[in-house]
Amino acid sequence: MIELPALKPLTSSMDGVNGFTGYNHGMRINSTEFFDQKNVTGEYLPVIRSRHARGILRKLEKANGLFANDKLGWVDGTTLYYNGEAVGTVTDTEKKVMRMGANIVIWPDKVYYNTRTGEFGPLEAHYVSAGAVSAVLCRSDGNAYSSYTASSTAPDAPENGDYWLDISGETSILKQYSTSLSMWTTIQTVYVKIIAPGIGADFSQYDSVTIAGMDNAALNGDFFLTARGEDWIVITAVIAQAIAVNSVPVSVDRYTPDMEYITESNNRLWGCNSANNEIYACALGDAKNWYQYRGISTDSYAVTVGSAGPFTGAATHLGNVFFFKENIIHQILGTIPSNFTLSDTGARGVSQGSGKSLCVVNEVLYYRALNDVCAFAQSLPNGISAALGNETYRNAVAGAWGRYYYICMEKQNGEHSLFVYDTENQTWSKEDNLNVRWFVQLGGELYFIADNILYSARGTLDEYGDAGKALEGPIEWMLETGDIGTENPYTKYISGIQLSVDLALGSSMKVLIQYNGFGAWTEIYHTAVIRPQNMVLPITTKRCRTVKLRIQGKGEFSLFSIAKRISAGSDKYEI
């Protein structure tokens, strides 16, 4: 009897995944993750589901901005809309919009819209005289002094209450005679009333203004208005005699600085200017006044920073104001101008072009840094985007819904990717390639604009949609596994795949396979679903070093588990 050598049976094993942990575009990922995704959500992890259908609310001609206060607003071309109604006209440029109480403030136009009163107008004010301009000494309320004597020496035989303007020194001093004291007492603050048709119409009391063109040099410069009327303004100054008619046109201007990034904190707007390397804050509760320095707690504020490079973003976080450059974070500490201080931290800041990625989610500030997405809780930022792989992203735009951080980023080739980060589970999911330019959360919905279309991320169809509003049609989705088989050097083949899937009626799905990490994808299963079901796919693959699976389809689906029967072979594999 001839004895033949015994052959060892080929081993096989079941590799099952009963729960998933999201997106990982790294070189090596575990079996619970997917190397690539499209239009799926991680809200139901460990179950993977297709994302919510979006609401397509309206098509815009040229989207220039999106914002929210009590209602949603947007800028379409040169028209400012609030709650669906046109409320103002602006320039045809991309806007930075910030809310401050009932006011919506818009840069670079430097205009505002009051959501309660409906008032729309400029932050700045500019006046140039077209007729006679006169000036007289007056009291703080604008009432002129009836008479006074201007001389280098005191008047003889003064009576009680007489005024004398002492012009003997470099600075004139107004004094009043008191018979009870038998002496002249100095009036500490003297005012001048400038009178011209319409000079005070566009200004308010305490506005900080710049005056030019007055014949008397003492009346040119920076002042704040102690009082004003339609045809007059009052400033702190001294003149030796009344000016009957000024010889040249007089200008009065209230300026607002040019700013690239704006944020709001404690009833002040804050902004920055890279050309001047300066940070500004408006007067308390007054977005029209940025140069109001009266030595009181409601004053404006400005500081020059010493760091190099342009500003890249601004945000308010936990009551503190932050201004970012790519490699430094500036923080403003304090509560009033007298104790405001600037603190600098060398750390990963916001990358250039990603200022709109700054977003607070559950008390943590998130943003796109130069080579990472960062979470900034209190002290230093932490990177959270290792799962996004080695792809270089730029020009990020972000928004928040609940605990989820939505961020759209541009690749080097110009394509865009929309990701969602679950801040609680610290997992990523990937949606699609929309080029989102603005996000804004309002109520229980996240709105965004992409390709001049206003969307609602959760599918809300409400008053912000036009007559053509509708939900998206069936959504195309995709899941791609990492390399299966990298854990051992031997060849193997898949003899069976079991997918636990729920598919809505009318949905479709197919499964594709790729061998050894390259080459074409081969379809191994395709179905149009007429009822929800678990699917067992008995397949046999050729021997290979590794395989990848791609599961894709259209319509609503839920993936609960993937089980694979893997049979091992020799150390050789087919090409």
Side-chain angles (χ1 to χ4, degrees), residues 160-463:
N160 187 56
D162 283 354
Y163 292 99
W164 167 43
L165 185 65
D166 183 358
I167 59 174
S168 60
E170 291 185 4
T171 302
S172 299
I173 301 173
L174 185 64
K175 299 178 180 181
Q176 187 176 30
Y177 189 75
S178 171
T179 55
S180 62
L181 299 175
S182 298
M183 63 180 294
W184 293 93
T185 59
T186 300
I187 296 177
Q188 297 298 323
T189 307
V190 184
Y191 304 90
V192 172
K193 182 178 185 179
I194 302 175
I195 306 166
I199 193 171
D202 295 328
F203 298 94
S204 301
Q205 188 179 26
Y206 306 126
D207 275 357
S208 54
V209 300
T210 300
I211 300 176
M214 295 296 295
D215 288 339
N216 190 319
L219 303 183
N220 294 320
D222 297 326
F223 304 89
F224 66 88
L225 305 183
T226 61
R228 47 75 61 194
E230 184 78 13
D231 299 320
W232 54 270
I233 58 175
V234 176
I235 62 174
T236 304
V238 180
I239 55 175
Q241 61 184 8
I243 299 173
V245 179
N246 205 70
S247 61
V248 297
V250 173
S251 63
V252 184
D253 300 282
R254 183 183 66 230
Y255 292 108
T256 298
D258 295 325
M259 294 180 290
E260 299 143 307
Y261 300 99
I262 306 103
T263 187
E264 187 275 336
S265 177
N266 295 323
N267 204 22
R268 295 179 189 269
L269 289 183
W270 293 77
C272 57
N273 181 295
S274 295
N276 299 328
N277 223 21
E278 290 179 336
I279 293 171
Y280 311 94
C282 72
L284 184 67
D286 186 358
K288 294 181 179 180
N289 278 284
W290 295 80
Y291 300 100
Q292 195 178 84
Y293 306 117
R294 297 187 288 159
I296 59 178
S297 63
T298 61
D299 275 352
S300 308
Y301 174 79
V303 63
T304 301
V305 303
S307 59
F311 289 102
T312 56
T316 300
H317 177 47
L318 298 178
N320 298 314
V321 179
F322 293 89
F323 289 93
F324 295 85
K325 296 186 176 183
E326 285 197 330
N327 296 301
I328 196 165
I329 301 173
H330 296 288
Q331 181 180 2
I332 302 292
L333 304 173
T335 56
I336 57 177
S338 61
N339 65 22
F340 284 152
T341 57
L342 179 68
S343 173
D344 301 339
T345 302
R348 286 169 291 179
V350 177
S351 65
Q352 183 70 42
S354 296
K356 288 192 285 187
S357 68
L358 286 155
C359 187
V360 175
V361 184
N362 290 346
E363 297 78 49
V364 177
L365 179 63
Y366 294 87
Y367 59 87
R368 175 68 194 182
L370 196 59
N371 296 307
D372 210 347
V373 177
C374 289
F376 185 29
Q378 289 183 341
S379 56
L380 292 172
N382 296 310
I384 61 169
S385 58
L388 301 187
N390 295 324
E391 185 74 55
T392 301
Y393 292 101
R394 61 189 178 189
N395 298 332
V397 178
W401 182 83
R403 70 175 191 256
Y404 300 98
Y405 177 65
Y406 285 70
I407 182 169
C408 177
M409 298 181 287
E410 182 184 358
K411 299 179 181 179
Q412 292 297 314
N413 63 5
E415 295 181 356
H416 292 81
S417 296
L418 175 57
F419 297 97
V420 182
Y421 180 66
D422 184 336
T423 62
E424 184 176 303
N425 295 318
Q426 299 181 352
T427 56
W428 288 90
S429 58
K430 184 180 178 183
E431 294 198 355
D432 52 19
N433 303 115
L434 281 182
N435 178 13
V436 181
R437 295 177 60 195
W438 295 276
F439 285 100
V440 65
Q441 183 179 359
L442 179 62
E445 184 58 90
L446 178 65
Y447 298 93
F448 64 90
I449 290 178
D451 302 320
N452 290 319
I453 297 174
L454 176 62
Y455 291 92
S456 57
R458 315 293 299 181
T460 301
L461 299 176
D462 52 19
E463 67 267 31

Side-chain angles (χ1 to χ4, degrees), residues 511-557:
V511 180
L512 301 93
I513 194 167
Q514 184 189 64
Y515 298 99
N516 301 322
F518 64 90
W521 288 88
T522 303
E523 182 179 317
I524 57 175
Y525 185 82
H526 188 185
T527 183
V529 178
I530 59 173
R531 61 181 177 83
Q533 58 184 295
N534 286 344
M535 301 179 179
V536 179
L537 313 180
I539 63 169
T540 301
T541 69
K542 62 182 179 181
R543 294 187 179 186
C544 56
R545 185 173 57 86
T546 61
V547 296
K548 283 184 178 182
L549 294 179
R550 179 180 288 173
I551 308 165
Q552 64 188 55
K554 189 174 183 179
E556 296 181 24
F557 90 102

